[in-house]
Amino acid sequence: MDLENIDTSKWADLALDYGVEYGLKILAAAAIWIIGSWIIKKLLKGTKNFMSKSSYEESLQKFLLNLLNWVLKIVLIVIVLGTVGIETTSFAALIAAAGLAIGLALQGSLGNFAGGVLIMIFKPFKLGDLIEAQGEIGVVKEIEIFTTKLTGLSNKEIIIPNGSLSNGNIVNYSTEGTRRVDLTIGVSYDADIKKTKEILMEVLTSDPKVLKDPAPSVNVSELADSSVNFAVRPWSTTADYWDVYFGITEKAKIALDKAGIEIPFPQVVVHKNS
């Protein structure tokens, strides 16, 4: 190849033309990305302020802001690609085809997304609520697009897919603000029933964390094999539930012991043939 016959000026002009054309497009795309990202940030901040002033729940705020952020970023990416020179109609068709393929592969994730939307619409719980669902119990820590995070009673993090959560049973212990504590206390068959009820009721009414309304109750619930069982039912606020549960159990034992009322325990009698 004869290097002397190559028209260097022609190639130089061609390179300059392409450099100017695509260089300007790249610079414009970079500028659009920077300005667009700034606008998105401002929009998200303004939307957050608006929702805060409008008393939107924190869980709903996070969910909507996360969703809006993704939508705006996808729109910005399409605009940037169009500025560079990539045909956006073809790109949109490619996204649609890819979306269909991904959707078929990730049906569970789409179900979780739909579950998250349903949770936001019907609001079976909110941040800070104590709920029981999918065999787990804990305080709602965060509601995301695909999952809901709980803090378990032993301070463990529990992550439940929104699809399963929205389609299953949910027990919300915080909605009403109060809870009934269900205790079963057994005493000897020799014990006086009336006296036992009076002692247990005194334990309940003297505890400051036991609510007066609804009123606590003590009733004979079962004549068991080795004991007469009493259903002891105090009410408390949701926050005081475990304090009442453990506190009443301990105080009942102390009060019954003081009154000389026996709390029987399982015994095994062994007969030995001589």
Side-chain angles (χ1 to χ4, degrees):
M1 185 175 181
D2 191 356
L3 297 177
E4 295 180 357
N5 294 329
I6 296 177
D7 190 350
T8 55
S9 61
K10 176 181 177 181
W11 288 104
D13 291 340
L14 186 62
L16 181 61
D17 291 340
Y18 277 109
V20 171
E21 179 182 358
Y22 288 101
L24 291 175
K25 288 182 178 180
I26 292 173
L27 289 175
I32 290 173
W33 176 261
I34 294 172
I35 296 172
S37 298
W38 179 82
I39 292 174
I40 290 174
K41 185 177 179 180
K42 291 295 182 181
L43 284 173
L44 292 174
K45 184 177 180 181
T47 303
K48 182 178 181 180
N49 291 335
F50 170 78
M51 289 192 293
S52 297
K53 292 179 181 178
S54 301
S55 301
Y56 279 69
E57 292 181 2
E58 186 180 351
S59 56
L60 181 59
Q61 288 185 38
K62 290 183 178 181
F63 183 88
L64 293 178
L65 288 173
N66 200 1
L67 182 61
L68 180 62
N69 182 42
W70 278 104
V71 171
L72 291 176
K73 282 186 176 179
I74 291 174
V75 172
L76 179 60
I77 290 173
V78 172
I79 294 174
V80 169
L81 292 176
T83 303
V84 174
I86 298 176
E87 186 63 41
T88 54
T89 54
S90 301
F91 183 72
L94 181 62
I95 289 179
L100 178 61
I102 294 173
L104 292 174
L106 302 176
Q107 292 183 31
S109 296
L110 293 177
N112 290 332
F113 173 79
V117 173
L118 291 175
I119 290 172
M120 290 296 101
I121 293 174
F122 295 105
K123 301 177 182 178
F125 52 80
K126 62 182 184 300
L127 295 183
D129 282 357
L130 176 65
I131 68 169
E132 182 177 356
Q134 300 297 308
E136 302 287 353
I137 183 170
V139 176
V140 180
K141 174 184 176 183
E142 191 170 354
I143 304 173
E144 299 181 335
I145 293 178
F146 297 105
T147 62
T148 293
K149 294 181 179 179
L150 310 179
T151 300
L153 299 180
S154 58
N155 205 35
K156 60 184 178 181
E157 184 178 72
I158 303 168
I159 301 175
I160 303 177
N162 285 336
S164 302
L165 192 58
S166 63
N167 290 320
N169 295 331
I170 300 173
V171 179
N172 192 329
Y173 295 106
S174 300
T175 302
E176 300 299 326
T178 60
R179 291 184 65 184
R180 190 182 74 181
V181 182
D182 294 342
L183 298 172
T184 299
I185 297 177
V187 299
S188 169
Y189 271 90
D190 295 332
D192 184 277
I193 290 180
K194 183 178 179 181
K195 182 180 178 182
T196 302
K197 290 182 67 174
E198 290 175 353
I199 292 172
L200 293 176
M201 183 59 74
E202 173 62 25
V203 169
L204 298 182
T205 54
S206 63
D207 192 306
K209 291 188 177 181
V210 173
L211 299 178
K212 301 297 185 292
D213 184 22
S217 65
V218 177
N219 296 287
V220 175
S221 62
E222 182 185 14
L223 301 177
D225 292 338
S226 58
S227 65
V228 177
N229 292 336
F230 287 80
V232 180
R233 302 290 185 260
W235 287 79
S236 72
T237 63
T238 301
D240 289 337
Y241 177 85
W242 290 111
D243 289 340
V244 172
Y245 183 95
F246 294 120
I248 294 300
T249 301
E250 179 180 339
K251 291 178 181 178
K253 174 65 167 65
I254 294 173
L256 292 173
D257 286 347
K258 186 176 180 181
I261 296 175
E262 180 186 359
I263 299 177
F265 54 88
Q267 302 182 49
V268 177
V269 178
V270 179
H271 296 279
K272 184 177 180 182
N273 295 327
S274 56

